[in-house]
Amino acid sequence: EIVMTQSPATLSVSPGERATLSCRASQSVSSNLAWYQQKPGQAPRLLIFGASTRATGVPARFSGSGSGTEFTLTISSLQSEDFAVYYCQHYNNWPPITFGQGTRLEIK
Amino acid sequence: EVQLVESGGGLVQTGGSLRLSCAASGFTFSTYTMNWVRQAPGEGLEWVSYISSSGSTIYYADSVKGRFTISRDNAKNSLYLQMNSLRDEDAAVYYCARGWDPYGNWFDPWGQGTLVTVSS
């Protein structure tokens, strides 16, 4: 099973600043990685697939990078609606599919 | 509009059974793979099961293998999850989510979820 580890667990950032979230896989997942945003009481929403491709309707301030075992989700200028929990998920050499434990992005 | 709507959640005793449903609309259901993903209260996301577009290929997480059964009815645009021998640790919000095989099994969109509570 591929273990996905996200860091930090909680990130405090001021609106308008840049946020950088990390995700590490226990073995290479190539570019088979997705990022999701989840707000309280809501279902997760796909942001990024293929490590760097934005899903339909996702603002350009969201960008994904990385391959192999190290991945980054960057939010260039935080808006109030971006404060949420973010999850990474691999879909390489599955089953099983696994998620990271999540990073909570909070207002500083 | 692409939409997934889950139903069937509720309170069940430990060892009991429950059948979840997911009604799909706004897309050609029969051409897409589908998944169930769950989230225990205050916890992260756990993939539960996958079914191919025709239903011929099925996978389960080890935590539910032998107890849960995924199925689909393409004529009714519906996905199901039969859950037997429920345990306390199965309590969660259960989401159905569309997969994108053969391009990759990321999940988009997700339903709003249905809550399963397991109590002894």
Side-chain angles (χ1 to χ4, degrees):
Chain A
E1 172 176 322
I2 298 174
V3 177
M4 308 301 293
T5 303
Q6 292 185 240
S7 61
T10 302
L11 182 62
S12 299
V13 182
S14 300
E17 293 189 340
R18 173 187 296 256
T20 302
L21 290 67
S22 296
C23 175
R24 173 177 293 177
S26 60
Q27 64 188 78
S28 177
V29 298
S30 186
S31 295
N32 296 315
L33 185 106
W35 289 95
Y36 301 88
Q37 175 193 68
Q38 188 178 34
K39 298 179 180 179
Q42 296 185 16
R45 169 199 178 196
L46 176 71
L47 297 176
I48 301 283
F49 61 93
S52 61
T53 303
R54 275 191 304 277
T56 302
V58 175
R61 63 181 182 272
F62 290 90
S63 63
S65 62
S67 66
T69 62
E70 300 285 342
F71 300 89
T72 300
L73 175 69
T74 301
I75 312 171
S76 60
S77 178
L78 279 164
Q79 307 297 304
S80 58
E81 62 266 30
D82 299 336
F83 293 95
V85 179
Y86 293 83
Y87 294 95
C88 62
Q89 172 231 329
H90 89 84
Y91 48 94
N92 190 74
N93 195 25
W94 62 277
I97 283 172
T98 53
F99 293 86
Q101 80 281 16
T103 290
R104 181 178 304 278
L105 181 58
E106 63 177 29
I107 301 174
K108 187 174 182 180
Chain B
E1 179 193 4
V2 175
Q3 196 169 15
L4 298 169
V5 178
E6 301 94 335
S7 60
L11 175 63
V12 61
Q13 284 193 326
T14 303
S17 298
L18 210 56
R19 189 194 195 208
L20 306 183
S21 299
C22 171
S25 60
F27 65 100
T28 306
F29 180 72
S30 62
T31 64
Y32 285 87
T33 62
M34 295 296 296
N35 297 265
W36 287 98
V37 179
R38 68 184 180 184
Q39 185 170 36
E43 302 295 324
L45 300 168
E46 179 187 16
W47 169 78
V48 172
S49 186
Y50 159 97
I51 187 168
S52 63
S53 56
S54 67
S56 59
T57 301
I58 286 172
Y59 300 121
Y60 298 100
D62 285 347
S63 57
V64 305
K65 201 172 294 183
R67 301 186 299 120
F68 288 14
T69 301
I70 191 172
S71 63
R72 65 191 295 161
D73 186 336
N74 286 342
K76 294 183 178 180
N77 291 336
S78 293
L79 174 73
Y80 306 101
L81 186 68
Q82 177 67 44
M83 304 187 296
N84 298 331
S85 303
L86 281 160
R87 304 169 179 168
D88 292 352
E89 56 266 33
D90 295 319
V93 174
Y94 283 74
Y95 297 101
C96 63
R98 186 175 67 176
W100 287 83
D101 263 7
Y103 307 106
N105 202 26
W106 62 85
F107 306 131
D108 181 51
W110 300 56
Q112 87 289 350
T114 188
L115 178 63
V116 173
T117 304
V118 183
S119 174
S120 54

